[in-house]
Amino acid sequence: MAKILGNFHLALLIGVVLLVAAMFGLHHDQIASGAYPWSQFLRYLHIFAGILWIGLLYYFNFVQIPTMPKVPAELKPGVTKYIAPAALFWFRYSALATVILGLLVAETQQGGYSAHALGFADGYRTIGTGMWLGIIMAANVWFIIWPNQKRALGIVEASPEAKAKAASLAMMASRTNLILSIPMLYCMVGQTHIGG
């Protein structure tokens, strides 16, 4: 069992197989008849990507950033050379996937509502606020956090002063995203349960 669960890719594959089994086991008739609501599956993918993105955001802000000053200097390269670059890969691509899938969800619902939501039309203000917060957060990831983290982590050449400044900018953008994530999540959940 340890061999199976110790292999990330195998564990992920098992999860996907179980997802397909659940889909077909629970909704076989709808899938077979063509009545399955594929827009709901897009919503599932959007939520999955969002959990990965926000989970990593919270990992950085609740664990990595506060813990790094306590890590002995000789151990820091383990984080900066291996853990942080891998986490940032999943972080930035899950942010991109969350936004793209969220826009697809909005457009595949009856009548497509992304323009209404992004324009804060009546009945769409809550989800529109959540969408704009998510877009701003994703822009922070791609245009502020990632370029600065590349310098801070030494992925691209930078002077020690530039690395320190880049680390500070990346941290401030990450903390901004932490702050924005709290109302963003409220808006995403609130649209369904509270309304526009």
Side-chain angles (χ1 to χ4, degrees):
M1 191 59 129
K3 218 174 202 181
I4 293 170
L5 297 178
N7 182 318
F8 168 73
H9 293 99
L10 188 54
L12 191 60
L13 177 64
I14 292 168
V16 170
V17 168
L18 290 174
L19 165 66
V20 171
M23 286 176 64
F24 280 90
L26 296 169
H27 304 110
H28 175 267
D29 294 342
Q30 288 178 308
I31 292 170
S33 70
Y36 184 78
W38 288 103
S39 63
Q40 293 306 312
F41 185 70
L42 271 179
R43 184 182 307 273
Y44 163 79
L45 293 175
H46 169 62
I47 292 168
F48 181 85
I51 290 170
L52 182 56
W53 176 22
I54 301 305
L56 286 165
L57 173 70
Y58 291 170
Y59 159 75
F60 287 128
N61 280 279
F62 284 79
V63 179
Q64 186 172 306
I65 294 169
T67 305
M68 282 304 286
K70 301 173 204 163
V71 175
E74 68 273 9
L75 298 178
K76 287 185 188 218
V79 175
T80 59
K81 299 267 186 235
Y82 301 100
I83 295 171
L88 285 164
F89 171 84
W90 291 105
F91 180 63
R92 66 183 187 273
Y93 284 103
S94 60
L96 181 64
T98 301
V99 170
I100 290 170
L101 289 165
L103 291 170
L104 286 172
V105 166
E107 282 308 301
T108 58
Q109 301 302 303
Q110 188 171 356
Y113 64 80
S114 59
H116 298 297
L118 294 171
F120 299 112
D122 285 343
Y124 297 93
R125 287 190 185 104
T126 302
I127 194 69
T129 301
M131 289 169 75
W132 275 114
L133 290 171
I135 290 167
I136 291 165
M137 290 169 60
N140 270 348
V141 168
W142 279 93
F143 303 120
I144 299 173
I145 296 171
W146 176 235
N148 281 290
Q149 282 289 17
K150 286 193 290 188
R151 285 189 285 281
L153 296 172
I155 296 169
V156 298
E157 284 296 316
S159 69
E161 298 81 24
K163 282 183 177 185
K165 182 179 178 183
S168 178
L169 287 170
M171 187 276 297
M172 287 188 291
S174 184
R175 287 287 161 82
T176 299
N177 276 6
L178 170 66
I179 291 165
L180 296 178
S181 73
I182 296 167
M184 182 273 299
L185 290 170
Y186 173 82
C187 291
M188 292 299 179
V189 172
Q191 180 67 34
T192 304
H193 299 287
I194 299 169

